[in-house]
C-alpha cells in the first residue's frame, strides 16, 4: 500500500475528488515526513505546521462543499527560500537579511499557487542568495542527499529536491540560474523543469537578470504540467513575462495520445567533450535515449557544435552576485559565505565592456542553438557528468575544479539561451545514487519537453530509480 506521503499531486487530487482522502490527512502526512527527515537531510529552512493545517482545514471544507478553489486545492507544497512567501521572512540563506517584516507579499508563482488553494508547508533550503550548485549556507547549514545524507543534494534548489524526493510535499518551487533545479533533480532522483525564460513571471527581478528562471520540482512530469498550468499565469509585476499560452500543459503532454513518434532527437553524450562523463552516467543516459527511439523518436547522435561559454557565464553570474551584495557594509560582508565573497569580488572587478562582451557570447550561443533546433526538436544530454559527491563542499575532492560550474557544464549554457530544459531520473549508480538525463527544447517549446518527459515516465524510465530510504 502506498504511503500518503508518496502520492503525487495528481493522485492526491483524484482522491480528494472521490472523497477517499482529506487535505488534512495529506498535510499531516507531509508534516510527519518533514519531522522524520529533517534531522538527517535538512531540507527545510522554515516549517509552519499550524498554518499549513489551518489552510488544509479550509481546503477540506471546500472539497466537502464540492467547490475546490483551483487546480491545487489541498496539495501540500513548499517554496525555495529565495522566493517571497507572505507570512514569514525570506532569508535567502543569508545572515545579512533582516528578519523583521512586514513580509506581506508573495512572489508571482507563489501567489498563483495560493490562488489555486495550495497548502504551504514552509520554505526550503538554498545556498546563500542561490549562488552555487550545492546547498549549504551560514544560516541553515548543509542539506544532504536523500539517498546518502553524507553527500550533497545539489543546488541551488537542493532543499526542494530533497523534500520532494522524500515525500515531504509533492510539489516545490525552485529557481534556476545555471542549473539550480536540474542539478539537484539529477542528484536526488526527481523531475524538474527550467521553463523558457519569461514563461513563469518573476518578482522581485533577480540580480542575476535573465539567467534566472522559476520552475517546478516534482515527482514526475504530470505533476510538473499541472504546476505549470498554475504558475504561468500573468503578473503585472514582471515586465518581461511572455504572452498567454494557447491550451494547457496538461493537455499538451497527452496530445496525440502522448506519442512522440517521428520527433527529431539529437543525442549528445558529452556536448562535444565539454566534460568527461562517468561511465555509469553515460550508460544510464544511453538507455534513456534507446527508450526514446523505442517510442518512435528519430534519434541521431550529434553535438550542437557550440563552445563552452563558461567564462562568459562567469562574467554574467559573478557580476549578478556582486550586485546582490553591493549594498552591504563591511560588517555584513564578513558574514557572507567565503566562496560567495570570492565570486563577488571577481564580479565587481568586471567592466561594463566585459559584461557586454559576455552578452555578445550569449547572443551568438542563442543564435547557434536556434539554428540547431531548426533541424532537431530536442537535444538530449546527461544532466550532470557525475553523481552526488560529499556534502558541504562546492566541488568534488580531487576534481581539480575551482568553482561549481566545472562539474556542471551541461546546464548553464541553456540559461544563457533561455531554452526550456528538464532533468528526468533515468538510473542509479553502483553506489545507489540517482542519475538524470537532460531534455532541452527550443525556446517556447516547453510543452515538447514535458511531453517527451511524460512519455519516458510512461515507458518506465524512472522505475530504475528506487525510492530513497530516508
Amino acid at each position: 500500500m502506498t504511503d500518503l506521503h508518496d502520492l503525487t499531486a495528481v493522485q492526491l487530487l483524484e482522491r480528494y475528488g472521490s472523497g477517499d482522502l482529506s487535505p488534512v490527512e495529506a498535510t499531516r502526512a507531509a508534516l510527519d515526513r518533514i519531522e522524520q527527515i529533517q534531522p538527517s537531510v535538512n531540507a527545510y529552512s522554515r516549517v509552519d505546521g499550524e498554518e499549513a493545517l489551518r489552510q488544509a482545514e479550509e481546503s477540506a471544507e471546500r472539497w466537502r462543499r464540492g467547490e475546490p478553489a483551483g487546480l491545487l486545492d489541498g496539495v501540500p507544497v513548499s517554496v525555495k527560500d529565495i522566493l517571497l512567501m507572505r507570512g514569514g521572512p525570506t532569508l535567502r540563506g543569508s545572515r545579512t537579511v533582516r528578519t523583521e517584516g512586514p513580509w506581506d507579499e508573495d512572489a508571482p508563482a507563489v501567489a498563483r499557487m495560493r490562488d489555486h488553494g495550495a497548502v504551504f508547508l514552509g520554505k526550503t533550503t538554498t545556498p546563500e542568495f542561490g549562488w552555487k550548485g550545492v546547498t549549504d549556507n551560514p544560516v541553515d547549514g548543509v542539506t544532504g542527499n536523500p539517498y546518502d545524507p553524507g553527500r550533497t543534494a545539489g543546488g541551488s534548489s537542493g532543499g526542494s529536491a530533497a523534500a520532494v524526493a522524500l515525500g515531504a510535499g509533492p510539489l516545490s518551487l525552485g529557481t534556476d540560474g545555471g542549473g539550480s533545479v536540474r542539478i539537484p533533480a539529477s542528484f536526488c532522483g526527481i523531475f524538474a523543469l527550467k521553463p523558457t525564460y519569461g514563461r513563469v513571471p518573476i518578482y522581485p527581478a533577480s540580480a542575476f537578470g535573465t539567467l534566472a528562471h522559476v520552475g517546478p520540482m516534482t515527482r514526475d512530469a504530470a505533476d510538473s504540467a499541472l504546476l505549470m498550468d498554475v504558475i504561468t499565469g500573468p503578473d503585472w509585476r514582471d515586465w518581461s513575462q511572455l504572452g498567454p499560452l494557447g491550451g494547457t500543459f496538461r493537455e499538451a503532454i497527452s496530445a496525440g495520445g502522448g506519442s512522440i513518434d517521428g520527433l527529431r532527437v539529437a543525442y549528445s553524450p558529452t556536448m562535444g567533450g565539454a566534460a568527461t562523463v562517468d561511465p555509469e552516467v553515460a550508460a544510464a543516459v544511453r538507455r534513456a535515449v534507446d527508450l526514446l527511439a523505442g517510442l518512435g523518436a528519430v534519434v541521431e547522435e550529434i553535438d550542437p557544435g557550440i563552445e563552452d561559454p563558461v567564462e562568459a557565464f562567469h562574467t554574467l553570474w559573478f557580476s549578478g552576485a556582486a550586485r546582490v551584495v553591493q549594498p552591504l557594509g563591511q560588517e555584513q560582508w564578513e558574514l557572507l559565505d567565503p566562496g560567495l565573497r570570492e565570486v563577488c569580488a571577481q564580479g565587481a572587478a568586471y567592466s561594463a565592456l566585459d559584461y557586454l562582451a559576455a552578452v555578445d557570447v550569449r547572443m551568438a550561443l542563442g543564435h547557434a542553438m536556434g539554428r540547431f533546433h531548426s533541424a532537431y526538436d530536442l537535444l538530449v544530454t546527461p544532466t550532470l557528468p557525475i553523481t552526488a559527491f560529499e556534502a558541504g563542499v562546492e566541488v568534488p575532492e580531487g576534481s581539480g575544479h575551482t568553482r561549481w560550474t566545472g562539474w556542471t557544464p551541461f546546464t548553464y549554457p541553456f540559461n544563457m539561451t533561455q531554452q526550456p530544459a528538464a532533468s528526468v531520473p533515468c538510473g542509479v549508480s553502483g553506489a545507489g545514487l540517482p542519475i538524470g538525463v537532460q531534455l532541452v527544447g527550443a525556446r517556447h517549446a516547453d510543452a515538447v519537453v514535458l511531453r517527451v518527459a511524460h512519455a519516458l515516465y510512461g515507458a518506465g524510465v524512472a522505475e530504475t530509480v528506487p525510492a530513497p530510504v530516508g
Side-chain angles (χ1 to χ4, degrees), residues 206-221:
S206 172
F208 297 105
T210 57
L211 293 173
H213 304 60
V214 172
M217 306 185 72
T218 62
R219 300 290 283 276
D220 60 23

Side-chain angles (χ1 to χ4, degrees), residues 345-362:
Q346 185 173 341
Y350 292 125
S351 69
L353 290 178
D354 293 330
Y355 192 93
L356 290 172
V359 171
D360 287 343
V361 171
R362 184 180 189 181

Side-chain angles (χ1 to χ4, degrees), residues 139-156:
V139 177
D140 305 304
V142 178
T143 297
N145 190 287
Y147 289 79
D148 179 351
R151 296 177 186 260
T152 182
S156 62

Side-chain angles (χ1 to χ4, degrees), residues 41-45 80 93 124-128 130-138 140-145 151-162 180 183-184 187-188 337 389-394 407:
V41 175
N42 187 32
Y44 276 82
S45 59
K80 181 181 180 181
T124 56
T125 53
T126 174
E128 193 165 18
W131 78 272
K132 60 184 175 180
V134 294
T135 300
D136 57 76
N137 69 60
D140 305 304
V142 178
T143 297
N145 190 287
R151 296 177 186 260
T152 182
S156 62
S157 306
S160 290
S180 289
I183 294 167
F187 278 174
C188 295
D337 178 332
F389 52 89
E390 179 187 357
V393 296
E394 184 184 347
W407 51 266

Side-chain angles (χ1 to χ4, degrees), residues 94-113:
S94 182
R95 293 180 290 178
T96 68
V97 177
R98 300 176 60 156
T99 58
E100 57 265 29
W103 302 113
D104 56 359
E105 189 172 22
D106 285 329
V110 178
R112 291 288 295 172
M113 293 171 77

